[in-house]
């Protein structure tokens, strides 16, 4: 499949509802592309605006994207917009929507290479690889040992999960 560049992906979002602007889209797209594949996880995707950008980057690099959301209590209109974003951007084979309790089983002992958090939300059910990139949108900080590598808070920040020290093994 032909790769889609960020400018085209963002332009195709058009009037799709959501609060992700072009700077955030660029950070998400670049971080995902830099990972070069693997497993991406997005927590609390909302209407799917950021999901579309992350999903397109995932498709470009051959990664899978799991969108973790409590579907039973999700706003039906928000869910329709999310599904429309996945459909319109041809991400059906890339993006999979899952319940929070199913994440560990789906990742089957593996961990996420990239985690996108939309606000201050619980991501304790998501296993992470030691060098996982964590993108925090609309939040202040994360609750695991990590180093901030890109800081545009409160809009967006990027963290690298801290590798275990030699003395702790």
């Amino acid at each position: 499949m032909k790769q889609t560049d960020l400018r085209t992906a963002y332009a195709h979002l058009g009037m799709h509802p959501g609060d992700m602007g072009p700077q955030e889209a660029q950070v998400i797209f670049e971080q995902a592309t830099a990972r070069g594949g693997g497993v991406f996880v997005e927590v609390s995707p909302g209407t799917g605006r950021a999901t579309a950008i992350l999903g397109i980057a995932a498709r470009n690099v051959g990664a899978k994207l799991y969108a973790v959301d409590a579907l039973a209590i999700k706003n039906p209109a928000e869910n329709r917009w999310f599904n429309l974003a996945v459909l319109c951007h041809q991400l059906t084979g890339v993006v999979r929507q899952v319940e929070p309790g199913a994440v560990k089983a789906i990742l089957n002992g593996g961990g996420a290479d990239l985690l996108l958090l939309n606000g201050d939300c619980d991501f304790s059910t998501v296993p992470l690889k030691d060098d996982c990139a964590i993108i925090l949108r609309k939040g202040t900080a994360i609750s695991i040992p990590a180093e901030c590598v890109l800081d545009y808070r409160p809009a967006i920040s990027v963290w690298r999960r801290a590798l275990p020290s030699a003395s702790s093994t």
Side-chain angles (χ1 to χ4, degrees):
M1 175 170 256
K2 181 182 170 202
Q3 291 203 347
T4 304
D5 64 281
L6 173 61
R7 182 179 296 226
T8 302
Y10 192 79
H12 284 167
L13 284 173
M15 297 303 292
H16 192 91
D19 61 357
M20 181 196 64
Q23 182 183 28
E24 290 173 283
Q26 181 176 357
V27 169
I28 292 167
F29 193 85
E30 288 175 355
Q31 290 296 316
T33 302
R35 296 309 289 181
V39 176
F40 301 166
V41 176
E42 179 182 15
V43 178
S44 193
T47 60
R49 194 169 171 84
T51 307
I53 295 298
L54 184 57
I56 289 167
R59 184 180 62 209
N60 284 351
V61 297
K64 289 288 183 189
L65 171 57
Y66 296 98
V68 181
D69 214 350
L71 300 173
I73 60 172
K74 186 168 179 143
N75 176 334
E78 201 172 71
N79 202 36
R80 282 191 298 275
W81 280 111
F82 176 89
N83 291 331
L84 184 62
V86 171
L87 184 65
C88 288
H89 292 279
Q90 301 173 356
L91 299 172
T92 306
V94 177
V95 177
R96 182 171 170 200
Q97 205 170 8
V98 298
E99 291 279 346
V103 176
K104 285 184 181 177
I106 288 170
L107 295 183
N108 195 22
D113 294 287
L114 181 142
L115 176 65
L116 173 59
L117 301 170
N118 292 296
D120 293 323
C121 47
D122 179 23
F123 63 96
S124 61
T125 61
V126 181
L128 306 175
K129 290 187 178 170
D130 287 337
D131 63 343
C132 180
I134 302 166
I135 304 171
L136 181 59
R137 291 188 62 239
K138 308 295 183 213
T140 54
I142 57 173
S143 59
I144 61 170
E147 172 189 8
C148 185
V149 295
L150 186 65
D151 195 352
Y152 296 117
R153 283 180 277 183
I156 195 164
S157 58
V158 179
W159 303 73
R160 292 275 183 253
R161 181 163 180 204
L163 296 173
S165 65
S167 62
S168 66
T169 55

